[in-house]
Amino acid sequence: NRYDQAEKAYKTALRFNPYHRNTNFNLGRTYQLQGKIKEAYQEYEKALKLDEDYIQLHYVHGETCKQLGYVDKAIKSFEKVKAKNKGFIENDFLLGSCYYVKGNYPQATINLVDAYNRNPSIFAYTYNLAMSLMNENKYKEAQPLFERCMSASNQVPYIPLHNARCLKEIGRIKEA
């Protein structure tokens, strides 16, 4: 298949020139697209040693770190992307998600708000922001987001429970 051909070509290129960040990057992307996340991560690590300023590399490195559970490394990569490219919506979402996993809800909320404000129609942005706000005990802000999630999807059974909790916490017990 094409991935096998690409993998072979990049490995051959690296034998001739092991110090070319784009080759490691492309081999990493080839692995990542095949679901070989550990291999992709290793190639991105090599490429970062060759060029610490390659922003697109930091983004895909952050993705693989997040998938492998290396949340602190993912945050570091996503923060570098955010410092250079403040308008990258998916980076803000993934950065916020990493902070959420770490239990740093204020930082999660800051980044998730950035993503949500640029595209409130994406369910994951809305839901994750609502969860982060609820974990900060900001029930009044979280509740309308949970309502929005409920109207967008009835496939997630626990959203009404979160909404009811927020309603209860803000004193709207009869609606809960």
Side-chain angles (χ1 to χ4, degrees):
N1 76 34
R2 289 186 180 193
Y3 289 125
D4 292 335
Q5 292 171 347
E7 188 176 322
K8 185 177 179 181
Y10 293 131
K11 285 179 177 178
T12 299
L14 284 169
R15 278 198 306 273
F16 289 104
N17 182 4
Y19 304 106
H20 196 273
R21 65 125 201 227
N22 285 344
T23 309
N24 291 107
F25 173 82
N26 289 333
L27 180 55
R29 286 294 293 153
T30 301
Y31 285 140
Q32 190 175 7
L33 292 170
Q34 295 178 85
K36 298 177 180 178
I37 304 306
K38 185 78 169 175
E39 293 88 343
Y41 165 77
Q42 291 167 344
E43 291 304 318
Y44 296 150
E45 285 280 307
K46 291 175 191 173
L48 282 171
K49 288 178 184 170
L50 299 172
D51 187 352
E52 183 68 25
D53 296 324
Y54 190 15
I55 295 306
Q56 187 177 2
L57 175 58
H58 280 287
Y59 177 73
V60 293
H61 179 258
E63 284 182 319
T64 58
C65 288
K66 185 175 185 298
Q67 288 175 297
L68 292 169
Y70 308 154
V71 180
D72 290 326
K73 279 188 167 192
I75 288 171
K76 184 178 176 186
S77 281
F78 292 139
E79 285 287 5
K80 286 188 181 206
V81 173
K82 186 163 187 150
K84 298 278 186 180
N85 186 354
K86 294 198 184 303
F88 190 4
I89 197 170
E90 187 64 18
N91 186 75
D92 291 339
F93 172 71
L94 292 173
L95 180 56
S97 297
C98 287
Y99 279 121
Y100 184 90
V101 168
K102 296 286 291 180
N104 186 340
Y105 303 120
Q107 275 303 121
T109 297
I110 288 168
N111 289 284
L112 293 168
V113 163
D114 288 345
Y116 174 81
N117 283 341
R118 286 202 280 312
N119 196 343
S121 66
I122 295 181
F123 179 84
Y125 296 177
T126 307
Y127 176 72
N128 286 4
L129 176 56
M131 288 298 297
S132 189
L133 288 165
M134 186 176 72
N135 280 294
E136 285 190 83
N137 300 320
K138 294 181 178 178
Y139 302 106
K140 192 171 187 175
E141 293 91 344
Q143 189 275 323
L145 296 173
F146 282 125
E147 275 193 13
R148 185 179 187 142
C149 289
M150 288 187 326
S151 66
S153 172
N154 61 2
Q155 303 298 314
V156 188
Y158 42 84
I159 292 174
L161 297 174
H162 296 316
N163 187 53
R165 177 180 174 198
C166 290
L167 287 168
K168 179 182 166 252
E169 294 293 338
I170 61 175
R172 293 168 52 191
I173 296 171
K174 288 183 181 181
E175 296 173 66

